[in-house]
Amino acid sequence: MKQVDYIIVGQGLAGTCTALSLLREKQTVVVAASADKKASSEIAAGLFNPVTGKKMVLTWNAKELFPYLLEFYAQTEEELKIKILYPKKIYRPFSDMQAQNDFWAKSTDESAVFAAAEPDNGAYTPYINNPFGGISTNFSGYLDVKTFIQAVQNKLKDSDSFMNETLVYEDLIFEKEFVQYKNIRAKKIIFAEGYHNKKNPYFRWVPVQGMKGDVLTLDIEDYPLQDVVNKHFFIIPLPNGSFRMGSSYIRQFEDDLPTAAGLKEITEGANTILKKPFVVTNQQAGIRPVVPDHRPIIGPHPENPLAVIINGLGTKGVSLAPFAARELVKFLLQGQEIDKSMSVNRFNYLYFIQKKN
């Protein structure tokens, strides 16, 4: 029988950051994940941006999230000898004068740390439609998510800590002091399954919904900008000279395959933003796990403390995952209470409604 501290189910951003955070605390883990359950993280553009939404407001908990994510991923680069973190300015053009006025009316000393008026907005004008100027962000950029996840998986494989399989829930055995899966015994099991949580018999009551998104790869002619541009759609310059652009937001879907509707939506956006000709060279799609209040969901099952969840990172997985994993690890190892805004407890009433019915 193999003894570990934690079994982790799923290896998207949530599972990967949780595994790394536990390993850094000298805990032992086994991660179970299968290519049959594609994580949205595998095709994620990896953008992290402290200014969010059409109204350009500071994202939730930015003061803690963004300094920590830079520290977390930089440490990962050093540990694993990889390049994954690309800090970049994000230029966000104003859509009209009203948007410009609204931004300045809501500006605070805290938001000024993360975003300010771009003094040289004219430098963008030859390449994008930019009649009203815009803002530039700090603490922003993108993560090479695929390389990050694969590098951590390789690290797990080197220590025989990765299982390339879909976990069979019926094979789990919960005892008072441990949980067992096949020949592995652990103190707890952590479910980090993203959208696939809907099939989990322990946490399917948690309101994780799927939001499908398409992302395109473009070649853009005579486009030297190396900053990210974000005007409803993002345009990210990649090291190989191509660009990633997205994303679509599709609530009704049957699978995780790329869609004609997503292609149409994003290319129309490209035609609106860009002044230069472009060619679409690739299209991918994934299903992101979103929750009604747009906050992570972490913590133990209301009646089974050996079963734990981390989920609901949505479209901000790169920025939320390190922080959510850190807070979960503090709960697991130190007994630190999980903040109410992230705790699964805020949805426990749904479990008892389901149980009653």
Side-chain angles (χ1 to χ4, degrees), residues 261-337:
L263 176 63
K264 182 175 184 289
E265 181 183 351
I266 300 169
T267 52
E268 286 179 352
N271 283 318
T272 300
I273 298 168
L274 292 169
K275 291 182 176 180
K276 299 294 183 177
F278 64 91
V279 176
V280 177
T281 60
N282 191 28
Q283 179 181 5
Q284 296 174 293
I287 303 172
R288 298 157 294 203
V290 298
V291 293
D293 59 5
H294 306 291
R295 301 287 183 268
I297 299 174
I298 61 176
H301 188 279
E303 293 190 317
N304 182 353
L306 302 189
V308 178
I309 189 171
I310 176 168
N311 208 318
L313 305 185
T315 61
K316 297 179 173 62
V318 170
S319 54
L320 289 173
F323 179 75
R326 184 186 75 178
E327 296 308 291
L328 179 59
V329 169
K330 286 181 179 178
F331 165 77
L332 294 171
L333 302 187
Q334 304 168 20
Q336 177 175 300
E337 184 177 354

Side-chain angles (χ1 to χ4, degrees), residues 149-356:
I149 289 175
Q150 187 60 57
V152 175
Q153 186 175 119
N154 292 341
K155 176 182 175 69
L156 293 166
K157 287 178 177 177
D158 288 345
S159 59
D160 194 27
S161 300
F162 182 79
M163 301 172 64
N164 183 16
E165 67 175 78
T166 299
L167 182 126
V168 180
Y169 300 110
E170 292 76 14
D171 289 346
L172 283 172
I173 300 171
F174 287 94
E175 298 291 351
K176 186 176 181 181
E177 300 293 336
F178 64 86
V179 56
Q180 185 173 322
Y181 180 66
K182 296 184 177 179
N183 68 329
I184 301 170
R185 186 172 290 181
K187 293 187 290 189
K188 295 182 190 292
I189 185 168
I190 302 169
F191 295 103
E193 298 171 287
Y195 169 68
H196 301 291
N197 182 76
K198 64 180 183 175
K199 298 179 181 178
N200 184 314
Y202 305 100
F203 286 104
R204 63 164 61 107
W205 48 272
V206 173
V208 175
Q209 301 296 321
M211 177 74 76
K212 186 172 180 176
D214 296 84
V215 177
L216 307 182
T217 303
L218 308 179
D219 286 339
I220 307 175
E221 185 178 318
D222 188 25
Y223 185 88
L225 298 181
Q226 289 302 299
D227 300 331
V228 176
V229 171
N230 189 345
K231 188 177 182 181
H232 184 64
F233 299 96
F234 56 77
I235 303 173
I236 302 174
L238 301 177
N240 65 2
S242 61
F243 299 83
R244 297 203 81 187
M245 183 169 183
S247 167
S248 59
Y249 295 87
I250 303 169
R251 293 187 179 275
Q252 302 295 328
F253 52 86
E254 296 181 355
D255 53 45
D256 59 5
L257 298 176
T259 65
L263 176 63
K264 182 175 184 289
E265 181 183 351
I266 300 169
T267 52
E268 286 179 352
N271 283 318
T272 300
I273 298 168
L274 292 169
K275 291 182 176 180
K276 299 294 183 177
F278 64 91
V279 176
V280 177
T281 60
N282 191 28
Q283 179 181 5
Q284 296 174 293
I287 303 172
R288 298 157 294 203
V290 298
V291 293
D293 59 5
H294 306 291
R295 301 287 183 268
I297 299 174
I298 61 176
H301 188 279
E303 293 190 317
N304 182 353
L306 302 189
V308 178
I309 189 171
I310 176 168
N311 208 318
L313 305 185
T315 61
K316 297 179 173 62
V318 170
S319 54
L320 289 173
F323 179 75
R326 184 186 75 178
E327 296 308 291
L328 179 59
V329 169
K330 286 181 179 178
F331 165 77
L332 294 171
L333 302 187
Q334 304 168 20
Q336 177 175 300
E337 184 177 354
I338 298 169
D339 188 273
K340 293 179 181 178
S341 63
M342 296 192 295
S343 174
V344 68
N345 291 351
R346 70 191 191 274
F347 297 119
N348 280 357
Y349 72 96
L350 294 173
Y351 168 73
F352 291 106
I353 289 173
Q354 173 192 273
K355 184 178 179 182
K356 184 177 180 180

Side-chain angles (χ1 to χ4, degrees), residues 31-81:
V31 175
S34 168
D36 294 336
K37 285 189 172 183
K38 186 174 76 173
S40 62
S41 306
E42 292 179 16
I43 64 97
L47 193 68
F48 54 96
N49 180 4
V51 178
T52 187
K54 292 180 181 179
K55 296 184 179 180
M56 296 189 181
V57 296
L58 200 60
T59 194
W60 171 78
N61 208 24
K63 189 175 179 179
E64 290 201 60
L65 292 181
F66 289 86
Y68 183 64
L69 78 86
L70 293 173
E71 174 189 330
F72 180 90
Y73 294 123
Q75 183 179 350
T76 303
E77 286 186 320
E78 185 175 344
E79 285 178 2
L80 302 183
K81 310 303 180 190

